[in-house]
Amino acid sequence: MWEQSTDPFGSLWLSALVAAIPIVVFLVCLVVFKLQGILAAAIALVTQIIVAMWAFGMPVDAMAGAGLLGILNAIWPIAYIIVMALWLYRLAVASGHFDVIRASIGGVSRDQRIQVLLIAFAFGAFLEGAAGFGVPIAICAALLMQLGFRPVRAAMICLVANAAAGAYGAIGIPVIVGAQVTGIDVAVLSKAMVIVLQPLTVLIPFLLVVILDGWRGLRETWPAALVATVVFSGVQGGVLWFLGPELADLGAGLAAMVALFAFGRVWQPAHEFRADGAAPPAAQSHSFGEIARAWSPFYILTAFILLWSLPFFKDLFAAGGPLAGAAFAVPIPGVTDEIITASGSVVTATWAFTPLNATGTAILLAVIVSYLTTPRASRPNLWSELAGTLRTLWQALVLIALILALANIANYAGASTSMGQALAAMGVLVPLVAPIIGWVGVFLTGSVVNNNTLFGPLQVASAEGIGADPALLVAGNTAGGNTGKVISPQSIAIAAGAVGLSGRESEILRASILYSLGMLVFICLWCFTLFLVF
């Protein structure tokens, strides 16, 4: 049995600096040498192996087990959820449903301020929950251009609006992964996200209107913005608090769209706003039945995810439940009962394989039901869309696997604790800078998931060092990263491609950066206030 050492050099700061080398290598490879994410992560993983063995004395079998656990978690449940979600989305697009969905949204109001609330805010959040990985930014920016928005403004607005949903993208994966790599219960972390991030979310609809039409626009459209924020934030916060992160974006986005649609039937701004004199697009008419069928894959998805999230369903697979035998906890050789942490506890790491009650299985059933209920004439090729999904995602999935392997080795070697203890020396300032770490992580990696994987354990170690609630700092890390997504190179590139500005990404960056920094400052101050109060 091997015992961790968090200070192998007898100097905490020196040990922490050595522990940080793999993360620095990864970021330098991305930013300075501009390597592809997979290559940068592979180099960082090799560096992590060297640091774990040489500096922290980690045995080979323990290191192999830690890396294996990271890869297994990347496959199940993370890759499973992501692939199923994007598969469902691609089937909706290929069947023609998505054209009807776009038309039904764009026809609610001719006022561009209301269109921004419907498309960039509500519909974008819905897509973030269903697919994530840049899908909402690309689709909503292109749709806004079709409605008369200029390219840079369309891209920037969608990037800012995504801050309301980016923390829970692709069926809540960022929060789920954050809970996995830190050992925090996902329900506890979800509630912490409500406390940390929801105050900013409440302000975003108003911010979008001000960006588009200044204070005059806010005076003229505040009723619609208020409806959007009350419904969206109320549903999102309620889902996070009582159910978990899986439906946080899907439910909130759908509810906000329905609320704005209903509100638009009884109220419209006195002055119709069209930026730069843009002409309204030609109206497209669809019957209620066509619209209902177009939305049906997402209704079905919501129903299955909701069922999988209910306590009675979860209890079926809990210890002592009638289906407990269908949930497997696989001990990891070299790690389980083979490592003593710096605090003296024995590690009991297991890989949870839950084929029936996994969130990905709920999405798979939604895929099957949606496909079977689609009229045969418009059914796409089921397997070709799955193949296309895998071709689209394989690099992102491999990158996640490499980073999870790196993070697990760092965690079980004691390196993450070493860095956390060093940061804890900052004392009460740690909660103030925790969101900044997340912002930097997402700016450089382009992913809230990868950010939580890299820095989640570090935040926990820092919290323990100053006596703070670990969930608060991990939520701060996630929330800060969410604001960094607004200007991450990956997000900017997706937005630029969607609006035909590839090669002119700097224009979108300049238009967006102040909003990203402003939201980051808000999160830092709020996180610090929560630490002082609680």
Side-chain angles (χ1 to χ4, degrees), residues 76 307-329 352-359 361-362 365:
W76 190 283
L307 174 62
W308 257 241
S309 302
L310 293 176
F312 91 89
F313 185 84
K314 293 182 178 180
D315 290 342
L316 294 175
F317 301 88
L323 297 177
F328 305 94
F353 180 63
T354 54
L356 296 182
N357 60 320
T359 301
T361 302
L365 292 174

Side-chain angles (χ1 to χ4, degrees), residues 106-128:
V108 171
S109 176
R110 290 158 52 96
D111 190 292
Q112 287 188 328
R113 298 164 298 192
I114 307 301
Q115 289 172 346
V116 161
L117 295 176
L118 271 165
I119 296 169
F121 180 68
F123 188 46
F126 184 86
L127 291 176
E128 183 71 35

Side-chain angles (χ1 to χ4, degrees), residues 53 168 296 410 429 486 519 527:
M53 293 177 63
Y168 317 108
S296 62
L429 294 180
V486 175
M519 289 188 287
C527 193

Side-chain angles (χ1 to χ4, degrees), residues 159-160 163-164 196-197 199-201 203-204 207 430-444 451 459 473 475-488 512-529:
L159 287 164
V160 173
V196 172
L197 188 53
L200 175 63
T201 303
L203 299 176
I204 287 178
L207 174 62
V430 170
L432 187 66
V433 302
I436 298 174
I437 295 172
W439 187 92
V440 172
V442 172
F443 175 78
L444 296 173
N451 166 61
Q459 301 283 9
L473 294 199
N477 186 75
T478 308
N482 187 47
T483 64
K485 194 175 180 183
V486 175
I487 58 166
S488 75
S512 309
I513 190 167
L514 289 180
Y515 300 112
S516 175
L517 292 174
M519 289 188 287
L520 174 64
V521 169
F522 180 93
I523 291 295
C524 287
L525 294 175
W526 179 239
C527 193
F528 184 60
T529 301

